[in-house]
Amino acid sequence: MKIVIVGGVAGGASAAARARRLSEDAEIILVERGPDVSFANCGLPYHIGGKIVERDKLLVVKPELLKARFNLDVRVRSSVEAIDRNAKTVRIRDLASDREYEESYDKLILAPGAAPLRPPVPGIDLPGIFTLRNLQDMDRIKATIDDGVKEAVVVGAGFIGLELVENLVRLGVSTTVVELQDQVLPPFDKEMTTPLAESLAANGVALHLGESADAFEQTSDGLVVHLKSGKQLPAQLIALGIGVRPENKLAVDAGLEVGPRGGIRVNDQLQTSDPDIYAVGDAIEVKDFVLEVPTQIPLAGPANRQGRIAADNIFGRSISYRGTQGTAILGLFDLSAAMTGASEKILKRAERPYRMIYVHPANHAGYYPGAEQMTLKLLFDPESGKVLGAQGVGGAGVDKRIDVLAVAIQAGMTVFDLEEMELAYAPQFGSAKDPINMAGFVAAGLLRDDHPQIDVASLMAMSPSERPFLLDVRTPKEFADGHFPDSVNIPVDELRSRLSELPTDKEVAAYCKVGQRGYVATRILRQKGFAVVNISGGYTTYRHHFPETS
């Protein structure tokens, strides 16, 4: 068996190592265009910022080790230029000598990855405008900063863009973010990103949301970004983080099927439309694990697993790739933001029925020092309660809860299962009722009709005359510090003695800070004959939806 693998990093290198573990006799050739066959691209911003001091720490494995330990034929600085499917050969160009030659294969694995987008904007190729894909990009950005950068502009507020922003701020560089969407971190639902935007502002980052860069211009002091609105942003460094596109040219030229967004089409065994050619990583179109529709989700974890599965199938193991559910996390200053499964915006776009709840628990027992609040948003099927997606933002503990919910989605679990989850508890790690349990209690209560709710977005979309009677059950001081428009304050501890102040001919919507006292009020009023709902997530969720009015 002779296997040729195009591309290293996560998918290709994993496929090569797995193939060798399955067969000592196979001839395995790994062809990589760059000088580094396997590197930690997720660590690039942190070397720029000085958090990862040693550059070599980013080299996951060097070609010499792959040769010695796995007996792989690794050819770096080599580019596969074409595939001849009939002859089962690839044409390879040695980038150092410009020599071209052919190599045969029995099985071919494509792992070319994805390239950063560089839109056709005037001035896009000027010196000082960078993308961040590999170690060489990182070196160029770091060298530019070391030469003296006072101001930087990051175009795109996705994962890589925001990680770079944090590290630029750490270096003392005045940083501005330009994002086409009206929020940072566009894969998330907008209200979940409010704490991130507030943290960026608190750390001196200027945000231009709903804006685009129309042109770049060189000046005597560096560069200027011309925005669509007419604003001009000076900078000595500009980083583009506006997304990636699959490197599909080889596949397209070879006549392999690709999807509408350019991802190489594969089956569950990661075979392309040619059964002797497999494809893995950021270049492929995957199945959305929740919605079971084609999509593209470039993540390192799935790419690694795909590389292993492709090698397994080449050697007859018949392993299926389940799909990608998009579990991801970002660290930004003192916050974490994580997600898994479907977002609300994706569910709406797919016209998939769902319900949702918000909870705002602490990461561990409140009586133990250092408890930090988080916000969890849970999306689930309105009939079965099956978990469809989740997002979390806050301090410590967000990663743990999203990982638990990611497993719940993989296992097809419901919100009723979340109620019963038995998770590790000691006061410094969690609570006897973990945030996962709390999310399950609230969601299950909604589905059982023990806890009828209305979400903030639906409530505020109503005209004032259509809205329920808004009942704030917090303390008078909390009410004075901010409240829903046109709401009336009756503290929950006084509610039973002040029922006469509530309307009997109109629905009541109760709320508190995070939902718990609102739930108690809802239970009291339902049993007193009132038509009542709790506003999911309370005033804290309102602030996430409408930060400018609170």
Side-chain angles (χ1 to χ4, degrees), residues 201-241:
N203 282 278
V205 178
L207 283 177
H208 294 271
L209 302 178
E211 276 277 22
S212 61
D214 272 9
F216 302 97
E217 180 187 1
Q218 197 153 30
T219 68
S220 58
D221 194 35
L223 296 159
V224 169
V225 184
H226 294 268
L227 302 184
K228 187 176 183 179
S229 64
K231 295 176 183 174
Q232 297 183 17
L233 306 176
Q236 293 79 50
L237 181 149
I238 297 169
L240 305 177

Side-chain angles (χ1 to χ4, degrees), residues 74-148:
V74 180
R75 305 178 189 179
V76 295
R77 295 187 176 87
S78 296
S79 173
V80 174
E81 300 291 291
I83 303 167
D84 186 332
R85 291 166 54 194
N86 292 324
K88 295 184 73 171
T89 60
V90 292
R91 188 172 80 251
I92 302 174
R93 180 159 62 96
D94 184 320
L95 297 178
S97 66
D98 211 31
R99 179 179 69 90
E100 291 195 356
Y101 60 94
E102 288 192 346
E103 195 71 63
S104 64
Y105 66 84
D106 295 311
K107 301 293 181 183
L108 179 66
I109 301 177
L110 301 179
L117 288 170
R118 292 183 73 98
V121 174
I124 192 77
D125 295 320
L126 285 170
I129 301 177
F130 303 95
T131 57
L132 183 57
R133 184 192 187 194
N134 54 37
L135 292 170
Q136 290 68 49
D137 292 337
M138 177 191 74
D139 292 339
R140 285 188 283 269
I141 292 173
K142 196 171 186 309
T144 301
I145 294 171
D146 291 344
D147 283 344

